[in-house]
Amino acid sequence: MSDVKIKSVLSSFSHMAKRLEPLPSDKPAPDDNYVRLNANENPFPLPKVVMQRALAAMERQYLYPEHDNVSLREAAADAYGLAKDQVIAGNGSSELLGLIYKAFLNPGDSVAMLSPGFSFNRKLAMLHGARFVEIECNKANFLPIDELLFGPAEKAKFILLANPNNPTGTFVPVAEIERLAAQSGHLIVLDEAYVDFAPDNGLRLIDNYPNVLLLRTFSKSYAAAGIRVGFGFGHPEVIGRLRNIQNVFNMNVIGHAVGISILAHRAAYQENHKHIKHERERVAFALAQLGFSVKPSHANFLLARVPAGQDGRWWQEALERRKILVAFFPEKGLENYIRVSVGTKRQMDAFLNAVSGILDRSSIQNQQLEKN
Ligand SMILES: Cc1ncc(COP(=O)(O)O)c(C=O)c1O
């Protein structure tokens, strides 16, 4: 394309899109030799019965998937004790997050989120021209209700609460969220992506608080991140409008089949969840022994403050050289942390071995420096 033409095309981007850089495409995807502990995936295979449903669904590849995800929404409604019109199904819960921004925000509006929080929300707010109000709160068991209701968050069109929170792993008692929902006239988006690893959940709020919209995903606790199944539960008027602005055929036939089958076989995941909670505690203890400071977590990941001397980015890169991927967040307050997803025992042993190796190596280097 000529320079003149591409300039003309680029100048037609919306104000929002103009503010974004094109994504670089130079980084190769990590191969299967990497231990992926950076995206809070659940590394176990699907239960056999669910996998059989996925394979059978492949044979319906020539058909469009069911309109409006009716059977999947019905199955979720049955499983969670709701009515079908209280349920929306998404291509992952991130699709539903995007719909919420689209449905509720005009440029110049604001949204509020506890910080640190799920950073995808910052991008969504930016894309919709919204002001993103971050309320700092790092405390477990605590919700800064006044700060979420008054001050800079007062006019927020909705408040985002992830419970358990990502990346901290902290969990706020549902009674606190209920207090907020009772006092607030705004929509509360309660993102329960990690709730199956936590002691409680907010499902019971749905029928009593029309301003609560709850999000769930099968990416974390049901080992289906690559299949993309998420749900929103809320008041039929809110859910119905969100469904109305959703893309046609937003999910595929495999997502439908897997979603319905997981809903019917949730008990098959008991061992999976038990394993992850057990590994979470084992790795937290081991990391503490190695000089990290680890927050108690109610999710399938740990946020660990790295030992003094190096920052989180340094640790992320040092681990990546050993083929272990963990998450690092450059934002203020998280510079000295890494977030490590909890996987299989084998993956976690590989991670702990790599950490020990890095610590040994840097202590040898320090000793050599002292000698010289
Ligand atoms: C808090 C939170 N919400 C939502 C999501 C999106 O999950 P998915 O789109 O896979 O359902 C994530 C993924 O990391 C998350 O951490």
Side-chain angles (χ1 to χ4, degrees), residues 39 92-94 97 118 162 166 191 193-194 217 219-220 228-229:
S93 59
S94 43
L97 269 175
F118 182 36
N166 176 14
D191 181 348
Y194 301 96
T217 176
S219 297
K220 314 297 181 181
R228 317 300 298 133
V229 183

Side-chain angles (χ1 to χ4, degrees), residues 55 102 143 176 200 216 244 269 279 287 299 330:
L55 296 174
K102 197 168 165 184
L143 203 55
E176 284 291 284
D200 195 5
R216 293 276 177 94
N244 206 356
Y269 284 87
E279 279 301 295
L287 278 176

